[in-house]
Amino acid sequence: QKEVEQNSGPLSVPEGAIASLNCTYSDRGSQSFFWYRQYSGKSPELIMFIYSNGDKEDGRFTAQLNKASQYVSLLIRDSQPSDSATYLCAAGLISNFGNEKLTFGTGTRLTIIP
Amino acid sequence: KAGVTQTPRYLIKTRGQQVTLSCSPISGHRSVSWYQQTPGQGLQFLFEYFSETQRNKGNFPGRFSGRQFSNSRSEMNVSTLELGDSALYLCASSWGTSWSGELFFGEGSRLTVL
């Protein structure tokens, strides 16, 4: 089982609709969660982070965290063609031994159809 | 504010050779992390340095090594190159440790091993 799992896609969403991206993680000790966006041929850039259960909104983006079910999701409202990219989920933790770790999923490719 | 700078951007090597990649973090950032990105495996963590100390290391063979200098610049070295080492190598800097906050990625060094 991968530590952070994402559906690789591609996920196709019509322009103006809501895009829903999901991510599950295996380590219950994970404490911090991030969503990075990576355009083709570019490096990843952070778009959202969330530490507590519940929803966190930032403009058209909403991150949702459910620690009991060990999943994180990203909702993109009013999807635009410029949202077409690969979205990487990452989970961070510090173990009882003091080891710190940030693990990325393999990413979900999102295509917004005009 | 200058971003993360990686050099060289592209390089071609042959099997058995070694390579050194360089990363200059954003001014004031003390943490530098290295990742290998391939289409099939996504972002794989190599190692993280914080204030010249290696804080964490991923599951890569000993051929992969790194270091960080007093000015926070970092280098990674891969010895005895193999075909499977062909990948995009990304460096990311952050003010604190990688698991707790935003990572700023460089454009990457694309290594091709023939």
Side-chain angles (χ1 to χ4, degrees):
Chain A
Q1 181 189 11
K2 290 184 179 177
E3 294 180 61
V4 176
E5 291 207 57
Q6 297 179 253
N7 188 321
S8 61
L11 175 65
S12 296
V13 174
E15 183 175 356
I18 295 175
S20 178
L21 303 163
N22 299 312
C23 168
T24 59
Y25 59 95
S26 60
D27 196 321
R28 285 196 171 274
S30 298
Q31 300 163 358
S32 55
F33 305 88
F34 306 87
W35 283 99
Y36 283 81
R37 177 177 62 199
Q38 186 173 24
Y39 290 116
S40 181
K42 299 294 185 182
S43 53
E45 57 179 343
L46 181 71
I47 52 172
M48 290 287 289
F49 64 88
I50 186 167
Y51 298 145
S52 304
N53 271 331
D55 295 359
K56 180 181 179 183
E57 188 174 318
D58 183 2
R60 296 187 296 111
F61 298 95
T62 298
Q64 299 175 318
L65 173 60
N66 184 323
K67 289 188 177 181
S69 300
Q70 294 178 239
Y71 85 78
V72 193
S73 63
L74 178 70
L75 301 178
I76 306 175
R77 290 182 300 281
D78 188 24
S79 297
Q80 303 297 310
S82 60
D83 295 326
S84 297
T86 296
Y87 289 79
L88 303 169
C89 171
L93 67 87
I94 180 165
S95 73
N96 291 333
F97 301 102
N99 294 326
E100 300 165 358
K101 194 172 180 181
L102 180 69
T103 305
F104 282 84
T106 53
T108 298
R109 187 156 59 92
L110 173 66
T111 300
I112 306 301
I113 304 169
Chain B
K1 189 175 185 182
V4 178
T5 303
Q6 289 189 246
T7 57
R9 292 290 313 279
Y10 303 91
L11 63 166
I12 300 173
K13 294 284 187 179
T14 56
R15 280 181 298 174
Q17 288 187 310
Q18 73 162 13
V19 65
T20 298
L21 308 178
S22 178
C23 173
S24 293
I26 291 173
S27 179
H29 285 189
R30 295 178 293 171
S31 172
V32 173
S33 301
W34 288 90
Y35 293 86
Q36 181 194 67
Q37 188 172 37
T38 56
Q41 297 297 317
L43 271 175
Q44 300 286 304
F45 172 71
L46 283 156
F47 23 68
E48 177 180 4
Y49 289 87
F50 187 87
S51 296
E52 300 181 67
T53 301
Q54 186 180 87
R55 292 185 65 90
N56 207 350
K57 190 177 191 303
N59 296 323
F60 278 81
R63 301 184 297 106
F64 292 80
S65 62
R67 58 179 175 169
Q68 186 180 34
F69 303 96
S70 58
N71 61 359
S72 292
R73 190 178 70 87
S74 178
E75 288 182 348
M76 68 163 281
N77 183 275
V78 188
S79 63
T80 319
L81 284 166
E82 301 177 359
L83 295 179
D85 297 333
S86 295
L88 179 66
Y89 290 88
L90 289 166
C91 163
S93 76
S94 57
W95 187 86
T97 53
S98 64
W99 74 277
S100 60
E102 181 175 6
L103 293 179
F104 293 84
F105 284 87
E107 294 294 314
S109 293
R110 184 166 295 281
L111 170 65
T112 300
V113 182
L114 302 176

